[in-house]
Amino acid sequence: MSVTTPAGFVAGGVHCGLKSNGNPDLALVVNQGPHFDSASVFTANRCKANPVLWSEQVVKDGTVKAVVLNSGGANCYTGAEGFQTTHEVAERVASNLGIGAIDVVVCSTGLIGLRNDRPTLLAGVDAVHAALKADGGDDAAHAIMTTDSVSKQVVVDRGGWSIGGMAKGAGMLAPQLATMLVVITTDAIVPAAELDAALRASTRVSFDRLDSDGCMSTNDTVTVMASGASGITPSVEDFTAALTEVCSSLAMQLLADAEGADHEIAITAVNAATEDDAVAVGRSVARSNLFKAAVFGNDPNWGRVLASIGTTDAAFDPADLDVAMNGVWVCRNSGPGEDPATIDLKPRKVTVTIDLKSGSCEATVWTNDLTHAYVHENSAYSS
Amino acid sequence: MSVTTPAGFVAGGVHCGLKSNGNPDLALVVNQGPHFDSASVFTANRCKANPVLWSEQVVKDGTVKAVVLNSGGANCYTGAEGFQTTHEVAERVASNLGIGAIDVVVCSTGLIGLRNDRPTLLAGVDAVHAALKADGGDDAAHAIMTTDSVSKQVVVDRGGWSIGGMAKGAGMLAPQLATMLVVITTDAIVPAAELDAALRASTRVSFDRLDSDGCMSTNDTVTVMASGASGITPSVEDFTAALTEVCSSLAMQLLADAEGADHEIAITAVNAATEDDAVAVGRSVARSNLFKAAVFGNDPNWGRVLASIGTTDAAFDPADLDVAMNGVWVCRNSGPGEDPATIDLKPRKVTVTIDLKSGSCEATVWTNDLTHAYVHENSAYSS
């Protein structure tokens, strides 16, 4: 049940010393081939961390042979020296594996604005290389955790070929990539161009629609590597469907572990003129602090939903919107509908359905509530 | 020191019964002329409350003779019956004053999605008419309060003519109009077209740059009435400057009383290519829950400032940004600068300065921190 479940991969996770609490803080996932196809997506934030600046170059040729990931420091806003640290880490990983550094993706997560200690990291790279093993995926998944309370892993097995994935992320989950590091492995044969198309299709409906707190990170990276070790070439449709399953599972695991959240909220806009409209409407509600605080208070405040929808330029008639919470249509034709008192918002999972009555498209955006614990964790944790 | 300080106005405030706690809940401000020029701006939210839908029609001809405002119910998302209530309130105010309903602006604030009791409101209209007096501005200012802890009022006296203003607002403060009701009076002679230009110039740099919690309301209204009773016609420049002073003072009073806030944060982007860029950058930081939670925790987290700036399309070099907090340049060239430990964020007022190094424009956006009290008030208060 990890990134080493698909054939052709080894992985490891160790404590190298970046984290003061002694927890694992360095992970390595290596593709042993015979194929080395890959695809990646990165944060849309213009202020990118050094590992992202490096890895954006690495992935351009569609070949990635290893991903090295450290927690305990994001190496972000650390200038040229920080970039050099990233580069040296890639060089050391490559040298240990007998490959080129330009095939090594580097990911970092943790505090931003602080430099990672380079000798500590480089010694760790040797240690994690020594720790590589055929069932090392679980170790790797644990070594990338920061404020995560659990590791996030998934495997989708198609009989003959499979996809494995691991993710970290518990805060700064936002659009155009929820903040996170994700490594996905598959033993299917998938050429890089197809892998890229499948990855973009999958992230578009999963990670990109996760908007826990509206804050976009600086280090987000999703890399998928295809070893071809199964010898099987699935159809584009089958592979994309399986990859979407993997991404959706990891996205829901991120949602469930968001910092300080009491509720997981699925906001679905239906009968939209376009899918983009549906996403825009869902995201506007997911971004409303007032709505999110109301859900925390178990208050089915549909007025705050309408006030959020009204900030978008989606196609709808402001006087003719319907809104349901947990299936109860509390708002009909932009006015009071069924009695909100019948809604029980105490369970963790909440659904909001918005009928835009303007077409036949729909989309779901996921978010969390705004809680005392969110404020506490993010005022106390200097990231 | 109220809307009745300028000559030509009477006002009143009473308790009519919309608020269960017995506090004043109905206000009326009447222009007695000889001029009846006016200008107004409203929420940019497409889901507007009934009083806004009514008042948008009223203000079109540049003539407003009275503004009636109730707290204790926003009359928003209440359908045709709610619109009829607004209309009847305007009719009753007009009938009592011997004017046309089409010269009466109606404003409402309080819970959304609930109907106001029409007989209660109409009886209140008669009561507040009977309570009109030459120094009734203070009563009016108190009658529009909801979760406000203090009334917001200001007078700018230019010797011979003056401008008075009152505002309510303590939550849902967001762009393209901080959520609020504002009535401004002046005894200067200002034709409606000039008044409109002056009001738009003034709100653009005051209310429009207040972004307490990113949530745009449904009832925002700012109306200015000019009685001409002073007999003085100030220059456009002088009048606009005075009106900007009034709007800025009221905006800062709103900021200071924002629900649950511990800090007032002024975010200034300097050396921007355009003023729009500077506003976009300031607003992106003002919208970052992570940054706002950090300020609540007295944590000078400049990394979260850069991560917010990176989400904009303003002109800047991501590798060459400087950020100061309370005057200490903690970030230089997008890397660590002076020691953040020297910054004391315990005082209520915080400044953030962002040097974009891309031009010569600047702008300031104001916001509050994200606190436990904000979450509490907005999860408990069903608005």
Side-chain angles (χ1 to χ4, degrees):
Chain A
M1 283 293 294
S2 78
V3 292
T4 46
T5 300
F9 294 92
V10 291
V14 299
H15 171 69
C16 76
L18 293 174
K19 282 182 182 165
S20 54
N21 63 7
N23 285 344
D25 50 18
L26 192 64
L28 181 60
V29 182
V30 179
N31 181 1
Q32 299 186 310
H35 294 276
F36 301 97
D37 296 286
S38 82
S40 297
V41 290
F42 298 96
T43 180
N45 201 309
R46 291 172 61 200
C47 293
K48 300 175 204 293
N50 283 310
V52 172
L53 295 172
W54 165 262
S55 300
E56 282 181 333
Q57 303 309 314
V58 167
V59 305
K60 279 188 173 166
D61 65 355
T63 298
V64 169
K65 295 183 177 172
V67 182
V68 60
L69 316 91
N70 76 272
S71 53
N75 194 3
C76 181
Y77 311 144
T78 51
E81 193 179 314
F83 188 83
Q84 185 60 26
T85 297
T86 290
H87 185 206
E88 291 197 20
V89 165
E91 290 279 5
R92 183 76 69 104
V93 168
S95 152
N96 288 340
L97 290 168
I99 62 176
I102 199 59
D103 291 332
V104 179
V105 163
V106 181
C107 302
S108 300
T109 178
L111 298 181
I112 55 184
L114 296 173
R115 296 199 171 95
N116 293 334
D117 185 67
R118 198 180 297 170
T120 301
L121 249 177
L122 293 175
V125 167
D126 294 343
V128 77
H129 178 81
L132 285 172
K133 49 186 182 178
D135 61 352
D138 193 61
D139 289 352
H142 281 83
I144 59 174
M145 291 166 60
T146 55
T147 55
D148 305 68
S149 69
V150 293
S151 75
K152 286 95 178 170
Q153 301 184 65
V154 65
V155 167
V156 167
D157 191 324
R158 287 296 193 243
W161 62 276
S162 63
I163 307 180
M166 68 179 192
K168 71 77 46 181
M172 295 211 294
L173 298 171
Q176 287 104 42
L177 233 48
T179 294
M180 58 194 182
L181 304 180
V182 177
V183 177
I184 299 168
T185 56
T186 181
D187 49 14
I189 299 174
V190 192
E194 278 178 25
L195 210 50
D196 186 70
L199 181 62
R200 288 176 195 279
S202 300
T203 56
R204 195 177 69 83
V205 297
S206 55
F207 302 123
D208 282 356
R209 295 194 181 165
L210 195 57
D211 196 332
S212 176
D213 69 358
C215 292
M216 192 191 298
S217 178
T218 51
N219 289 58
D220 300 335
T221 303
V222 181
T223 292
V224 53
M225 298 184 285
S227 71
S230 70
I232 296 174
T233 306
S235 73
V236 169
E237 294 70 28
D238 285 354
F239 182 76
T240 303
L243 187 59
T244 301
E245 245 181 79
V246 165
C247 291
S248 297
S249 167
L250 292 174
M252 290 305 104
Q253 292 180 57
L254 292 166
L255 182 73
D257 198 30
E259 282 173 0
D262 272 7
H263 290 90
E264 297 157 36
I265 310 170
I267 304 157
T268 304
V270 300
N271 298 321
T274 65
E275 191 175 339
D276 284 350
D277 272 9
V279 172
V281 162
R283 194 173 316 281
S284 76
V285 178
R287 291 264 176 113
S288 167
N289 279 350
L290 287 174
F291 170 71
K292 290 149 71 90
V295 172
F296 168 59
N298 300 328
D299 169 17
N301 197 313
W302 58 268
R304 291 176 179 177
V305 175
L306 256 62
S308 302
I309 301 170
T311 65
T312 72
D313 59 4
F316 63 83
D317 175 357
D320 193 19
L321 292 165
D322 292 358
V323 176
M325 296 185 71
N326 287 359
V328 179
W329 291 93
V330 284
C331 169
R332 291 280 192 191
N333 313 120
S334 299
E338 296 175 44
D339 186 1
T342 63
I343 301 174
D344 179 11
L345 287 183
K346 284 191 287 296
R348 189 171 171 92
K349 288 183 192 272
V350 173
T351 65
V352 178
T353 312
I354 298 156
D355 189 343
L356 295 171
K357 307 181 191 179
S358 301
S360 56
C361 298
E362 69 173 79
T364 299
V365 173
W366 290 271
T367 190
N368 298 106
D369 52 349
L370 179 60
T371 69
H372 289 300
Y374 175 90
V375 173
H376 177 73
E377 287 196 30
N378 288 300
S379 58
Y381 172 73
S382 186
S383 72
Chain B
M1 282 295 291
S2 78
V3 290
T4 45
T5 300
F9 295 92
V10 291
V14 298
H15 170 68
C16 76
L18 293 176
K19 282 182 183 165
S20 54
N21 63 6
N23 284 344
D25 49 19
L26 192 64
L28 180 61
V29 181
V30 178
N31 180 2
Q32 300 186 308
H35 295 276
F36 300 98
D37 296 287
S38 82
S40 297
V41 289
F42 299 97
T43 179
N45 201 309
R46 290 171 61 199
C47 292
K48 300 176 204 294
N50 283 308
V52 172
L53 296 173
W54 165 261
S55 300
E56 282 181 332
Q57 302 309 313
V58 167
V59 305
K60 280 189 172 163
D61 65 355
T63 298
V64 169
K65 295 183 176 173
V67 182
V68 60
L69 317 90
N70 74 273
S71 53
N75 195 2
C76 181
Y77 311 144
T78 51
E81 192 180 314
F83 187 83
Q84 184 61 23
T85 297
T86 290
H87 185 208
E88 290 196 22
V89 164
E91 289 280 3
R92 183 75 71 105
V93 167
S95 152
N96 288 340
L97 290 168
I99 61 176
I102 199 60
D103 292 334
V104 179
V105 163
V106 181
C107 302
S108 299
T109 177
L111 298 181
I112 56 184
L114 297 173
R115 297 199 171 95
N116 293 334
D117 186 67
R118 198 182 295 169
T120 301
L121 249 177
L122 293 175
V125 168
D126 294 342
V128 77
H129 178 81
L132 285 172
K133 50 186 181 177
D135 61 352
D138 192 60
D139 290 350
H142 281 83
I144 60 175
M145 291 166 60
T146 55
T147 55
D148 306 67
S149 69
V150 293
S151 75
K152 285 94 179 172
Q153 301 183 64
V154 65
V155 167
V156 167
D157 192 325
R158 287 296 194 246
W161 62 276
S162 63
I163 307 180
M166 67 179 194
K168 72 76 47 180
M172 295 211 294
L173 298 170
Q176 288 102 40
L177 234 47
T179 293
M180 59 197 180
L181 303 180
V182 177
V183 177
I184 299 168
T185 56
T186 181
D187 49 14
I189 299 174
V190 191
E194 280 179 25
L195 210 50
D196 186 71
L199 181 62
R200 288 176 193 280
S202 300
T203 56
R204 195 177 68 84
V205 297
S206 55
F207 302 122
D208 282 357
R209 294 190 182 168
L210 193 59
D211 196 333
S212 175
D213 68 358
C215 292
M216 192 191 299
S217 177
T218 51
N219 290 58
D220 300 334
T221 303
V222 181
T223 292
V224 53
M225 297 184 285
S227 71
S230 70
I232 297 173
T233 305
S235 74
V236 169
E237 294 70 27
D238 286 353
F239 182 77
T240 303
L243 187 59
T244 301
E245 245 182 79
V246 164
C247 291
S248 297
S249 167
L250 292 174
M252 290 304 106
Q253 292 181 57
L254 292 168
L255 182 73
D257 198 29
E259 283 173 359
D262 272 7
H263 289 90
E264 296 156 36
I265 310 170
I267 304 155
T268 303
V270 301
N271 298 322
T274 66
E275 192 176 336
D276 283 351
D277 272 9
V279 172
V281 163
R283 193 171 318 277
S284 76
V285 179
R287 291 264 176 112
S288 167
N289 280 348
L290 287 173
F291 170 72
K292 289 150 71 91
V295 172
F296 168 60
N298 300 326
D299 168 17
N301 195 311
W302 58 268
R304 292 177 179 178
V305 175
L306 257 63
S308 302
I309 301 170
T311 65
T312 73
D313 58 3
F316 63 84
D317 176 355
D320 192 17
L321 292 165
D322 291 358
V323 176
M325 295 185 70
N326 288 357
V328 180
W329 291 93
V330 283
C331 169
R332 292 279 194 193
N333 313 118
S334 299
E338 296 175 43
D339 186 0
T342 63
I343 301 174
D344 179 11
L345 288 184
K346 284 192 287 296
R348 188 171 173 91
K349 286 181 192 275
V350 173
T351 65
V352 177
T353 312
I354 299 155
D355 190 343
L356 295 171
K357 307 181 191 179
S358 302
S360 56
C361 298
E362 70 173 77
T364 299
V365 173
W366 291 271
T367 191
N368 297 107
D369 52 348
L370 180 60
T371 69
H372 289 300
Y374 176 89
V375 173
H376 177 72
E377 289 197 30
N378 289 299
S379 58
Y381 172 75
S382 183
S383 72

